[in-house]
Amino acid sequence: MADQRVIIIGGGLAGLAATMKIAELGTKVLLVSFQPVKRSHSVCAQGGINGAVNIKGEGDSPEIHFYDTVKGGDFLANQPLCKDMCYHAPFVIYLLDRLGVPFNRTPEGNLDFRRFGGTLHHRTAFAGATTGQQLLYALDEQVRRFETRGLVEKMEWHEYLGAVLDSEGRCVGATINNLRTGEIRSERGDAVILATGGPGLVYGRSTNSMVCTGTATTSAYLQGAKYGNPEFIQIHPSAIPGRDKLRLMSESARGEGGRVWVPRKGGDERKPKDIPEAERLYFLEEKYPRFGNLVPRDVGAREIYDICINEKLGVHGEMKVYLDLTHKSREFLDDRLGGILEIYEKFTGVDPREEPMEIFPAVHYSMGGIWTDFESTDDGFINHQSPQNQMTSIQGLYAAGEADYQYHGANRLGANSLLSCIYTGLMMGPGVVNYLKNLPQAASEMPSSMFDGDEKRWKDRFSEISQMSGSENPYALHNELAEAMISNVLIVRENEKLGATLKVIEDIESRWKNIECVDTQDWTNPVPSFVNQLWNMIQLSKIITMGALQRDEFRGSHYKPDFDLNQPDDFDPADYLEFEDQKFNGGVHKDQFASSHLDYMERFEKNNENWLKSSIATYNNGKPTIDYEQVDTSLIAPRPRKYD
Amino acid sequence: MDTHFIYRRIHSLTGIIPVGLFLIYHLYIQLYLHSGAEVYNEEVNSFYDSPLALWILVLVVYIPLIFHSVFGALITFEAQVQPSYHYFAHLLYWLQRLSGIGVLFFIIAHVWNAQLGPLVADTWGTHWEHLAEGFSDPETGLVTKTVYVLGILGATFHFANGINTFSITWGVALTPKSQQRMRVISIITFLVLTISALYALAAIW
Amino acid sequence: MSRMLKFKIKRQDSKESSPYWEDFTVPYKANSNVISCLMDIQANPLNSKGEKVSPVVWDCSCLEEVCGSCTMVINGEVRQSCSALVDKLEEPIRLEPMSKFPVIRDLAVDRSRMFEALKKVQAWVPADGYHDLGPGERISPEHQHVAYKLSECMTCGCCVEACPQYSKNNDFLGAAAMNQARLFNMHPTGKSLRKDRLDVLMQAGGISDCGNAQNCVEACPKSIPLTESIADLGKQASKQFWNNLFSS
């Protein structure tokens, strides 16, 4: 067959991992990125990457990692993918080690591992507190190597607008906007991979980079691709407040011994160091003796919300708590957390080695994303040769990394995102190449008429946008959208507010049509592109809110107090397995369980019947609909989560 | 191997060996100014009496010096003025270039005054007297003195700071700590050479 | 009336057009940095005279000083605009694009020369493949400390902007790329390309074009020991020079 190539959109960890794997297999790659790939949002990941290497001899294993991941995600993830990922995690870390990532070391020279949320093991490999940056650089270097060999062509400062589909709906290319010249072109590609990260900017200020608009995935959704679990947005418990962005304070700060507390007395305005130990409330440690400060993020964020809003114990009466590292030595902190402590100091002027940090929860990650497929093997792993892996519901269009919805269920564990990004990028490579081999015709041989239509459609759209001369400033309108989302679709969700938010979004959508394109230059004009992104963000916020509104339950990051099953304090999740077992074997011995437990288990079971399903958003005739799809829970039986 | 690298390394090397070493020797000889005209002239003339004097002068002093200064002046034009960065090392960077060009002019004047001039005028041999006369000339004495003091300061600074940059260029001083030590050494070198040279001049002030 | 912040921004409409200064005033808000003010201008693009103008164009991404995107010259000094807190800046705050790179528009510049330099010095580990080959070599914590620091370089451009030897008219590699050469020359397997890297560093634009102004190390926002890296490469180059002369 004539020359084939894969178009990869996005140069973060997933995009680069896919690029280098596919290039290694000898297939050409066109790598498209909004900015130089070395600046992708993956650099912001701080704490580390999970892999059960068991270097500390704690009896850790990929199976336990798999269990922690599935439990952390409240059983909403398709299990074979999680299993395959966790079993490949040690290999991914070893590969990164070989590629030169300067991971921290034990005195003997082995990889060092730290604690992270949602697990009791030292499972997180790390390079100081800028692990994402270091991993990204290692992959960036490998891709640059392929670039010099001609296997990879980079198009930086280019933006993906949409997929080019042939008459059968198969993806044969992508329409790309040159952010410098404003030129729009449809590029031919036999497969297109969206590795475009998350949509934090829908919430305006989040821990995400300014490029994380979710536009590319939303565009795929608007073209008919299924979008999975949109309502599952992770709120990170610890971020640094800021006017332009909420900077992340890594979970590793707690992994290395950081303690979260508030003054026991509301309105205590003494300096934190002047508050004696007895007058501090270490609320996570008290409530969760086993996991303590390292409960999963959904739990942590909820507890902070509870202590600040319901108990009114927030620092300075605000939604803030102390994160305290002052009991650790300067040398220890600089070695293992240097990068993030410097960031805190630079932006707040306070030295976190001397004073407890003031942190608060912020939008961080989207567990949801474009729906993708997989092919599992009989023993519950993934067939890496299958072209179906990571393929969206549009044939030939793939998704990887935060852009997909597969690996984290209802809540992602810290340090699993770097893993899932690199794992998916590498794992999908052989399947994508196999997909190319079996195509009837190469995209390069298709008639240009196939591509002209899309090119023209997008050119027309952008020229319409450029001529918009209404009265709404697009950036101000975006701030309004963000305000609505952050006020109502965050940690605690209430149907009334969600319904009202949908109306606000629809209002913003209609006002979008009255935008003024505030910059009319042809050259390097970011405004038309942003106006288009804003449209997509509006569409995405709709399905996030709709998904939240429709899902009447409490699962992982999606917390609706009205539908909390109120797990009894003394409940043991093992009882539920026993209960299920008895049920399967003929009948429950009701006398064996406390009646409140029995009630709870029945509620839990019923709730799972209704809601242990992926939300699948589709866009038809200009309207979103959300349906539900079974989750593959064939490997670990769902059960109530408990971390105390 | 690229000549670009070789030329620059030779430039760096010649600044220390032999030009720098010659500077030390030269300033050492000047201390004899205090021993009076006879001894001083004898010291200087004894060098020129050597059958190898011309060879040494050309091979060890003139060629390396001309190479070092001309090449140095050329690469100075590669530098871009960065006015808003007020760091000490940056100041030294510019002083090194300014002193280099200043000293180049001083050396031309000095060679004319102390060597070629007397040769042309056929007054060669009475070096002490020639210098002392120049310094005490009622009309040009002050200018000569000023030029000499500035020339000496320029040369000792350029050499002393050159030791510092040389140690980085050749990877002798690697860590910030050792580079700090090197800076101390170069400051001491600067002080010793400058004091010694000015003390020498005091003999004929 | 609330306090206003004054900005003087050096603007340029396209690559070829000539630059001009434009004044902006932005309402003061607590905890502002330069970027949040530029965002305010975006949301209300009026200059000081109240004229409607196109919003200022600049590059930014992470806003927490790890991506390297938002470098510009602020009050005469090169730095990241995200970590430039307005409370610590003298007014009027002067924003200029970096001077060592071609301006794209306003404060956005083209830094591709820095990425090309990374290609020239082959800043990568020549791995055999991306399949399972087990762990890498053991590395001492001391070695890791040095490597990690060097590896924090985000190709932001501060070092070369401040460097008096780096100009639009020459092909100097600059401190960032040389620092990467040192990083990979010390890596257990990366060092197999050491000779090739040194060959490049010993050409025009290489290590011998460093003038020891040491502005790079002062300007580096990540405090990377760039002078040490240059000295280390100087030593390696000296050895290679010797080897080339007498042992090859």
Side-chain angles (χ1 to χ4, degrees):
Chain A
M1 204 181 310
D3 246 14
Q4 288 182 304
R5 71 170 176 185
V6 178
I7 300 179
I8 297 182
I9 315 292
L13 286 174
L16 293 178
T19 302
M20 66 191 226
K21 188 67 201 175
I22 290 170
E24 185 193 23
L25 295 170
T27 301
K28 284 192 175 162
V29 175
L30 176 66
L31 178 57
V32 179
S33 170
F34 202 82
Q35 56 184 351
V37 297
K38 200 176 175 175
R39 314 208 188 281
S40 301
H41 175 60
S42 300
V43 294
C44 289
Q46 300 173 340
I49 176 168
N50 283 339
V53 177
N54 192 31
I55 222 105
K56 306 271 181 193
E58 298 167 327
D60 196 11
S61 71
E63 191 62 28
I64 303 177
H65 183 188
F66 169 43
Y67 172 76
D68 286 341
T69 301
V70 168
K71 177 189 168 193
D74 220 345
F75 298 87
L76 196 62
N78 284 307
Q79 295 184 357
L81 280 165
C82 288
K83 182 174 179 178
D84 201 71
M85 172 176 81
C86 294
Y87 275 79
H88 278 83
F91 148 69
V92 168
I93 292 175
Y94 287 152
L95 172 64
L96 294 164
D97 177 27
R98 282 174 42 223
L99 298 182
V101 174
F103 284 118
N104 279 53
R105 299 285 165 165
T106 64
E108 196 185 322
N110 293 310
L111 296 167
D112 201 358
F113 287 77
R114 65 162 52 128
R115 289 269 323 268
F116 239 74
T119 178
L120 295 170
H121 295 95
H122 287 79
R123 187 187 290 150
T124 307
F126 61 103
T130 57
T131 313
Q133 181 197 42
Q134 295 304 313
L135 303 193
L136 185 85
Y137 289 0
L139 303 193
D140 173 57
E141 287 144 12
Q142 294 301 315
V143 167
R144 190 167 290 112
R145 194 175 153 218
F146 283 113
E147 212 185 337
T148 58
R149 290 197 216 155
L151 271 161
V152 172
E153 185 195 338
K154 269 190 200 152
M155 282 171 80
E156 291 170 329
W157 304 108
H158 284 74
E159 177 186 27
Y160 168 87
L161 297 177
V164 180
L165 308 182
D166 71 5
S167 53
E168 288 154 24
R170 189 164 60 88
C171 176
V172 293
T175 308
I176 310 289
N177 176 23
N178 183 328
L179 296 168
R180 301 282 205 223
T181 63
E183 186 197 1
I184 290 170
R185 259 181 63 183
S186 288
E187 294 285 345
R188 294 155 188 258
D190 298 275
V192 174
I193 300 175
L194 299 179
T196 47
L201 247 67
V202 166
Y203 287 82
R205 295 182 304 160
S206 71
T207 65
N208 284 193
S209 294
M210 292 301 111
V211 295
C212 301
T213 58
T215 288
T217 46
T218 310
S219 168
Y221 151 75
L222 295 174
Q223 277 188 291
K226 298 197 280 183
Y227 195 103
N229 291 338
E231 68 270 33
F232 290 95
I233 300 287
Q234 178 163 78
I235 315 298
H236 197 290
S238 56
I240 312 166
R243 204 160 87 64
D244 50 341
K245 145 159 209 190
L246 312 173
R247 293 166 184 92
L248 179 64
M249 176 44 61
S250 170
E251 193 166 294
S252 58
R254 283 170 284 142
E256 297 291 0
R259 303 178 73 189
V260 175
W261 61 277
V262 289
R264 278 190 188 271
K265 206 167 64 206
D268 191 338
E269 284 302 315
R270 284 177 291 176
K271 281 187 174 170
K273 292 210 105 174
D274 296 337
I275 300 177
E277 200 66 18
E279 292 174 42
R280 300 175 175 189
L281 177 59
Y282 293 95
F283 55 97
L284 290 174
E285 294 172 30
E286 273 186 24
K287 194 161 175 190
Y288 302 95
R290 265 199 320 148
F291 283 76
N293 294 295
L294 287 172
V295 288
R297 291 173 178 172
D298 58 331
V299 180
R302 261 194 307 279
E303 292 298 342
I304 292 174
Y305 181 90
D306 182 60
I307 211 85
C308 296
I309 304 298
N310 300 333
E311 306 293 327
K312 307 211 179 330
L313 291 178
V315 173
H316 312 312
E318 294 167 28
M319 175 90 153
K320 278 192 216 163
V321 298
Y322 288 124
L323 170 54
D324 199 340
L325 280 163
T326 55
H327 53 290
K328 295 278 174 184
S329 81
R330 209 161 244 285
E331 294 70 38
F332 175 86
L333 293 176
D334 284 341
D335 176 29
R336 300 169 79 100
L337 299 170
I340 51 170
L341 300 186
E342 276 165 27
I343 288 177
Y344 186 87
E345 196 173 358
K346 252 184 197 169
F347 285 95
T348 65
V350 176
D351 183 356
R353 303 163 195 88
E354 301 294 334
E355 294 278 327
M357 296 180 273
E358 292 179 12
I359 52 107
F360 85 129
V363 170
H364 182 56
Y365 187 88
S366 169
M367 276 70 72
I370 289 288
W371 179 93
T372 52
D373 203 0
F374 62 94
E375 187 183 318
S376 53
T377 60
D378 293 342
D379 49 356
F381 288 98
I382 298 296
N383 172 12
H384 288 203
Q385 298 301 322
S386 167
Q388 286 313 110
N389 297 334
Q390 301 297 129
M391 196 189 280
T392 69
S393 54
I394 294 174
Q395 212 197 350
L397 182 66
Y398 290 81
E402 191 176 345
D404 76 32
Y405 90 117
Q406 283 284 24
Y407 295 85
H408 309 294
N411 169 60
R412 174 173 69 75
L413 289 192
N416 261 0
S417 59
L418 296 187
L419 173 62
S420 66
C421 284
I422 300 174
Y423 161 79
T424 47
L426 294 174
M427 179 274 277
M428 72 194 296
V432 172
V433 172
N434 287 337
Y435 170 77
L436 260 57
K437 279 183 198 150
N438 295 324
L439 286 175
Q441 190 188 18
S444 58
E445 289 175 321
M446 290 175 179
S448 64
S449 57
M450 186 90 78
F451 302 88
D452 295 345
D454 272 66
E455 206 170 282
K456 179 157 187 317
R457 191 166 61 84
W458 281 107
K459 278 181 177 164
D460 290 348
R461 168 149 175 103
F462 268 70
S463 81
E464 276 164 30
I465 289 177
S466 303
Q467 286 160 21
M468 290 173 89
S469 56
S471 55
E472 300 279 356
N473 177 294
Y475 298 96
L477 195 61
H478 174 231
N479 290 344
E480 276 188 51
L481 173 69
E483 188 53 39
M485 293 299 286
I486 227 157
S487 310
N488 304 306
V489 201
L490 209 68
I491 301 176
V492 177
R493 297 167 173 191
E494 291 160 20
N495 282 345
E496 203 179 312
K497 286 187 178 173
L498 293 169
T501 307
L502 268 182
K503 295 222 164 58
V504 173
I505 297 171
E506 274 160 20
D507 174 52
I508 290 173
E509 183 178 22
S510 61
R511 284 164 62 199
W512 181 91
K513 300 186 172 95
N514 188 32
I515 270 179
E516 180 193 4
C517 185
V518 289
D519 188 344
T520 49
Q521 268 202 38
D522 293 334
W523 171 257
T524 316
N525 180 353
V527 179
S529 166
F530 183 77
V531 172
N532 180 55
Q533 289 167 11
L534 179 59
W535 175 259
N536 285 8
M537 283 192 267
I538 292 168
Q539 302 311 317
L540 185 59
S541 63
K542 266 192 202 172
I543 56 173
I544 294 173
T545 312
M546 267 181 78
L549 179 62
Q550 286 190 27
R551 184 177 281 273
D552 278 335
E553 68 154 347
F554 161 30
R555 185 179 299 279
S557 67
H558 174 71
Y559 175 52
K560 271 190 181 172
D562 293 348
F563 299 90
D564 189 347
L565 298 175
N566 295 314
Q567 188 184 96
D569 284 346
D570 56 349
F571 181 74
D572 179 358
D575 283 357
Y576 183 73
L577 297 182
E578 177 65 25
F579 167 85
E580 287 284 276
D581 204 38
Q582 290 179 6
K583 204 165 205 183
F584 186 75
N585 291 314
V588 178
H589 309 295
K590 294 198 170 173
D591 50 336
Q592 215 178 309
F593 306 102
S595 72
S596 65
H597 290 194
L598 205 57
D599 277 359
Y600 168 70
M601 291 192 287
E602 270 158 9
R603 289 201 303 274
F604 182 82
E605 190 181 34
K606 178 112 190 29
N607 183 65
N608 270 358
E609 273 167 30
N610 291 336
W611 291 114
L612 182 47
K613 291 169 187 165
S614 305
S615 318
I616 304 294
T618 43
Y619 186 76
N620 295 309
N621 307 320
K623 280 212 162 64
T625 43
I626 294 185
D627 301 312
Y628 297 90
E629 197 177 273
Q630 279 307 319
V631 179
D632 185 339
T633 57
S634 56
L635 303 169
I636 299 175
R639 68 201 69 173
R641 288 165 90 205
K642 197 174 164 84
Y643 286 97
D644 47 328
Chain B
M1 206 169 12
D2 206 300
T3 50
H4 185 89
F5 179 81
I6 298 174
Y7 281 142
R8 270 147 223 261
R9 276 297 161 95
I10 293 175
H11 170 245
S12 170
L13 182 67
T14 49
I16 306 292
I17 307 166
V19 176
L21 293 181
F22 170 74
L23 176 71
I24 294 174
Y25 166 75
H26 187 63
L27 294 181
Y28 166 73
I29 293 295
Q30 304 318 309
L31 290 173
Y32 283 98
L33 283 170
H34 282 279
S35 310
E38 202 175 318
V39 179
Y40 180 78
N41 291 343
E42 174 62 31
E43 269 304 319
V44 177
N45 289 332
S46 72
F47 169 77
Y48 286 100
D49 289 344
S50 154
L52 290 176
L54 190 64
W55 288 104
I56 290 175
L57 218 50
V58 170
L59 290 180
V60 179
V61 182
Y62 282 121
I63 290 180
L65 186 61
I66 289 168
F67 175 79
H68 184 82
S69 46
V70 171
F71 191 81
L74 285 178
I75 60 175
T76 293
F77 291 106
E78 292 172 2
Q80 272 206 332
V81 183
Q82 307 276 114
S84 45
Y85 299 95
H86 309 289
Y87 309 124
F88 184 56
H90 188 211
L91 176 72
L92 294 179
Y93 168 90
W94 281 109
L95 284 178
Q96 185 72 353
R97 278 147 185 78
L98 286 176
S99 63
I101 290 173
V103 169
L104 176 59
F105 286 114
F106 171 70
I107 290 174
I108 293 169
H110 178 51
V111 167
W112 173 256
N113 174 47
Q115 203 164 32
L116 296 179
L119 279 175
V120 172
D122 207 15
T123 57
W124 182 258
T126 54
H127 309 286
W128 197 97
E129 293 85 346
H130 180 73
L131 269 178
E133 274 164 29
F135 269 42
S136 55
D137 187 294
E139 274 171 35
T140 59
L142 193 62
V143 177
T144 311
K145 281 176 181 169
T146 311
V147 167
Y148 263 82
V149 169
L150 287 178
I152 285 166
L153 280 173
T156 52
F157 169 81
H158 191 84
F159 172 59
N161 188 51
I163 296 177
N164 193 17
T165 57
F166 175 90
S167 72
I168 295 170
T169 302
W170 292 78
V172 177
L174 289 183
T175 61
K177 245 186 195 166
S178 59
Q179 283 163 16
Q180 201 52 43
R181 273 182 222 125
M182 217 57 215
R183 193 167 275 173
V184 172
I185 291 177
S186 72
I187 289 171
I188 294 172
T189 309
F190 172 69
L191 290 176
V192 168
L193 290 182
T194 309
I195 291 167
S196 139
L198 294 180
Y199 170 71
L201 280 193
I204 52 164
W205 200 257
Chain C
M1 201 176 126
S2 64
R3 201 183 133 196
M4 300 298 272
L5 283 169
K6 287 193 189 68
F7 280 86
K8 280 179 108 58
I9 301 178
K10 193 177 185 182
R11 307 197 61 176
Q12 186 172 331
D13 293 340
S14 68
K15 275 183 179 173
E16 294 79 22
S17 62
S18 37
Y20 58 95
W21 288 88
E22 191 153 64
D23 294 355
F24 291 87
T25 42
V26 180
Y28 174 83
K29 292 174 197 157
N31 301 320
S32 290
N33 56 12
V34 166
I35 288 197
S36 63
C37 294
L38 287 171
M39 285 173 169
D40 287 345
I41 294 175
Q42 254 183 350
N44 184 24
L46 302 174
N47 66 15
S48 288
K49 297 178 204 152
E51 297 162 342
K52 229 177 203 189
V53 294
S54 52
V56 179
V57 175
W58 83 101
D59 289 334
C60 71
S61 180
C62 80
L63 307 196
E64 51 192 61
E65 216 188 61
V66 281
C67 80
S69 224
C70 66
T71 318
M72 58 182 76
V73 178
I74 300 172
N75 286 350
E77 257 185 86
V78 67
R79 58 188 297 186
Q80 272 72 55
S81 46
C82 64
S83 54
L85 309 181
V86 296
D87 287 338
K88 294 184 180 168
L89 293 171
E90 228 173 89
E91 280 189 68
I93 298 167
R94 279 177 297 122
L95 307 182
E96 295 167 73
M98 284 192 277
S99 65
K100 299 295 173 72
F101 302 102
V103 171
I104 296 290
R105 188 177 164 190
D106 292 345
L107 302 170
V109 297
D110 178 6
R111 279 171 279 186
S112 44
R113 174 173 167 190
M114 292 192 77
F115 294 105
E116 288 305 313
L118 293 177
K119 284 184 195 162
K120 284 187 196 158
V121 300
Q122 301 189 62
W124 51 69
V125 171
D128 282 347
Y130 309 130
H131 47 294
D132 193 353
L133 289 169
E137 280 190 44
R138 285 188 186 185
I139 285 173
S140 71
E142 293 73 29
H143 185 281
Q144 184 270 342
H145 273 271
V146 178
Y148 175 68
K149 197 69 224 168
L150 306 186
S151 189
E152 275 191 298
C153 170
M154 50 192 186
T155 324
C156 68
C158 286
C159 58
V160 293
E161 171 68 19
C163 173
Q165 296 285 113
Y166 195 93
S167 80
K168 278 181 185 163
N169 316 317
N170 65 19
D171 52 3
F172 187 33
L173 289 166
M178 294 201 284
N179 177 65
Q180 291 298 302
R182 177 189 179 205
L183 171 64
F184 287 96
N185 275 2
M186 68 183 272
H187 186 268
T189 43
K191 68 180 170 203
S192 63
L193 295 174
R194 184 189 170 113
K195 194 176 169 304
D196 297 350
R197 291 192 194 101
L198 289 174
D199 281 343
V200 171
L201 288 174
M202 288 161 71
Q203 291 167 4
I207 182 89
S208 60
D209 284 14
C210 169
N212 275 311
Q214 303 181 21
N215 282 359
C216 53
V217 74
E218 299 280 357
C220 176
K222 295 287 132 186
S223 312
I224 298 170
L226 295 168
T227 315
E228 186 178 317
S229 291
I230 288 169
D232 193 276
L233 289 172
K235 185 178 179 177
Q236 295 180 30
S238 303
K239 277 190 192 160
Q240 176 125 321
F241 177 55
W242 195 258
N243 282 343
N244 286 354
L245 271 185
F246 299 110
S247 318
S248 64

